[in-house]
Amino acid sequence: MGQQETVTTSADGRGRLIGPYSKIADSAADLVFIGSVTPHLPTGELVRSFEQVDADGSRVRRNQMLIDVPEEPAAAQAYFAFDQLAEVLASYDLDLRAVARLRVFVTDRENLAVVNRVVRDRLGGHRPAISVVLVTSQGLDEQVEVYLDAVAYTGESGVEVIESEDGGTVARAGDYVFVPSTTGVTPAAAPSRLGDLPDELVDLEFSTPKAAESLRQSWTLFQKVDAALETAGGGVEDVLKVNGWLPESMRYFGPVVLARQALVDHNEKRLVASTGLSIGGLPDPAARIAFEAVAYLPRSGGDAKEVKLPQADIARYYVGAVRGGGLVFTCGEVPIDGADRRLVDRNAELTGEDRRLSFGHLETDTGIRAKAWYVYQLHVGYLEAYGLDLTDVVHQTVYLKDASERAVVERVGTMFFGPVLPPTTFIPIVDTSPFGEASIEIEVVARQR
């Protein structure tokens, strides 16, 4: 956002453009998917204070002294990002009450309190599924301290906020239910339908207490997600997509994998498209893992989620893509050949004409072109299983260890999507797989034809 003064409509009438090469939003299945909304003014200038924003900053300040002034850029940026989000929503005749899922990305833990105050102030009592995500700033403009993305609901019934027994909420948007970022730090409020941690995992020994805690928290987290969905009339079997956020090294993902595999071993209907990676931290320092999820719970009953792909080579607990109603969610994919357990990071490791990606380039090849190309090709195959291709994508999330490589990834993206990219959220991360050099992960959402 911020590249022009108004949001314009794409030729198909569904998308909203922020320039000639990218969409800020696109719609499908009564949902609007909105990519990264950054705090840039129409002039291109970055918001750094409330003097640049049409708002009363005192509403989010708390007895501010001179020492508190460093909070102001983050507060002003968060406030203005909501202005930009509201502008996009207005182009669909919606307002902030239509938001079903909101993700707020913050680069500095010290700004969490003030950003949370802004979020509460701007939502005015509305409670969508909110995930506050701490991201690393590597490769980002260091002055960008807050940005966001969102999913909104266009249905006349509006977003239904459903309270769970432990005081949390889920947001129902028509046939889809969004679960906010959830942790397993504290036990579930009531006995779980999933039961206790399976016996085969109880006595496992780990090299560090953090690993053992990651396993325990993972199972508790599944219990909480299941309980939250039960309030909406479903359960973990109805989950289409899960995003897992780790606050530390991917080495602690191993215990999480054990818990997830045990969950699927007890019921294959629990297979989901999945993304798991290490970010800049979690708001709760005691949390070893957090999940956000989207489930498909059609009000009319009938068609359930559909899995047309086999379990993944690299991890049996997830699949490449899952369909629910009018949407297909893919897993987060990395440039790893799962069958051979090898990293693909050179153009020469691609096949056929793909190897010619090096032609015409004189700069040092960091490997990101080959990685992005390989990952997009994986998604082409996943979508083909549902009769779709990348032109059907309504949103993509690109995770990068070095956000400065974004321009190269965008260029590769145009080779698959064409000149106009779908709404995109870029998230800088710490790690994306046990392969330290994988450096990129991509997931997409597509509309079913």
Side-chain angles (χ1 to χ4, degrees):
M1 288 294 295
Q3 297 177 17
Q4 54 189 50
E5 293 189 8
T6 58
V7 179
T8 59
T9 304
S10 64
D12 61 15
R14 291 187 297 253
R16 301 295 182 267
L17 303 175
I18 55 171
Y21 309 115
S22 186
K23 295 179 182 178
I24 185 63
D26 208 342
S27 59
D30 294 330
L31 297 174
V32 177
F33 293 84
I34 301 167
S36 297
V37 177
T38 61
H40 290 91
L41 295 163
T43 60
E45 183 182 2
L46 181 66
V47 168
R48 296 291 296 164
S49 77
F50 274 102
E51 293 181 358
Q52 299 168 279
V53 179
D54 183 18
D56 178 6
S58 65
R59 287 166 56 184
V60 293
R61 294 187 179 103
R62 291 293 184 272
N63 300 319
Q64 218 177 46
M65 297 174 62
L66 185 61
I67 197 171
D68 297 314
V69 170
E71 282 191 346
E72 177 152 334
Q77 287 185 11
Y79 204 98
F80 186 71
F82 273 98
D83 280 349
Q84 298 288 76
L85 175 59
E87 181 183 336
V88 177
L89 292 171
S91 71
Y92 287 92
D93 295 323
L94 303 172
D95 59 30
L96 291 173
R97 292 170 297 178
V99 174
R101 186 195 75 182
L102 176 69
R103 298 194 297 192
V104 183
F105 305 100
V106 183
T107 62
D108 187 342
R109 179 183 293 277
E110 298 300 319
N111 289 325
L112 283 175
V114 71
V115 170
N116 282 330
R117 290 201 297 270
V118 174
V119 171
R120 289 194 297 270
D121 181 75
R122 294 310 309 267
L123 290 177
H126 177 51
R127 299 175 65 192
I130 301 175
S131 298
V132 177
V133 182
L134 282 165
V135 297
T136 173
S137 59
Q138 181 177 352
L140 283 181
D141 180 342
E142 292 185 357
Q143 292 191 320
V144 175
E145 301 185 37
V146 182
Y147 64 104
L148 54 85
D149 72 2
V151 179
Y153 179 50
T154 63
E156 292 183 2
S157 60
V159 175
E160 180 185 358
V161 178
I162 304 171
E163 300 274 354
S164 60
E165 191 170 332
D166 62 0
T169 62
V170 297
R172 177 182 269 281
D175 291 340
Y176 299 92
V177 176
F178 294 91
V179 181
S181 185
T182 305
T183 68
V185 175
T186 58
S192 172
R193 298 184 300 181
L194 302 184
D196 296 329
L197 187 68
D199 292 341
E200 64 267 26
L201 300 180
V202 170
D203 297 325
L204 287 178
E205 295 184 2
F206 296 94
S207 58
T208 68
K210 286 183 179 179
E213 184 65 9
S214 296
L215 174 62
R216 184 196 68 77
Q217 287 190 18
S218 296
W219 195 260
T220 301
L221 196 161
F222 295 135
Q223 293 176 328
K224 288 186 169 183
V225 170
D226 183 65
L229 289 173
E230 185 181 8
T231 64
V236 291
E237 292 81 10
D238 303 297
V239 173
L240 302 173
K241 179 67 196 296
V242 166
N243 285 79
W245 313 108
L246 280 81
E248 298 183 76
S249 166
M250 285 295 289
R251 68 177 294 173
Y252 296 112
F253 198 54
V256 179
V257 168
L258 293 174
R260 297 182 70 163
Q261 189 59 55
L263 193 73
V264 172
D265 286 344
H266 285 78
N267 187 341
E268 284 197 1
K269 291 182 179 179
R270 296 169 182 168
L271 284 169
V272 298
S274 174
T275 297
L277 30 73
S278 175
I279 55 173
L282 294 172
D284 184 345
R288 303 266 69 83
I289 178 76
F291 280 172
E292 62 174 0
V294 55
Y296 179 60
L297 296 172
R299 292 184 183 276
S300 59
D303 89 337
K305 79 178 186 184
E306 180 182 26
V307 178
K308 285 190 172 183
L309 290 159
Q311 291 166 278
D313 288 327
I314 200 167
R316 292 187 300 111
Y317 60 83
Y318 76 93
V319 292
V322 177
R323 184 188 71 83
L327 296 173
V328 173
F329 292 81
T330 72
C331 65
E333 266 299 355
V334 291
I336 296 173
D337 184 325
D340 295 335
R341 296 295 199 272
R342 68 182 180 90
L343 176 71
V344 177
D345 65 347
R346 295 185 303 142
N347 296 337
E349 295 175 334
L350 300 172
T351 59
E353 291 297 307
D354 306 352
R355 295 174 178 176
R356 297 176 64 88
L357 283 175
S358 293
F359 283 49
H361 290 278
L362 302 177
E363 74 277 12
T364 301
D365 183 8
T366 65
I368 194 64
R369 282 197 300 274
K371 293 173 185 176
W373 184 279
Y374 184 82
V375 171
Y376 277 126
Q377 286 283 30
L378 291 175
H379 286 298
V380 167
Y382 295 156
L383 294 179
E384 282 180 349
Y386 295 89
L388 307 177
D389 58 43
L390 287 174
T391 63
D392 299 301
V393 169
V394 295
H395 184 267
Q396 68 165 338
T397 304
V398 178
Y399 305 91
L400 284 171
K401 286 183 69 172
D402 183 354
S404 67
E405 294 183 316
R406 169 178 175 165
V408 178
V409 176
E410 286 181 328
R411 179 69 185 102
V412 175
T414 62
M415 300 176 188
F416 289 88
F417 294 113
V420 180
L421 296 175
T424 301
T425 300
F426 277 90
I427 303 178
I429 57 172
V430 175
D431 244 333
T432 182
S433 89
F435 290 75
E437 298 304 315
S439 75
I440 184 173
E441 186 160 345
I442 300 174
E443 65 189 32
V444 305
V445 184
R447 64 169 63 87
Q448 185 69 57
R449 296 177 188 172

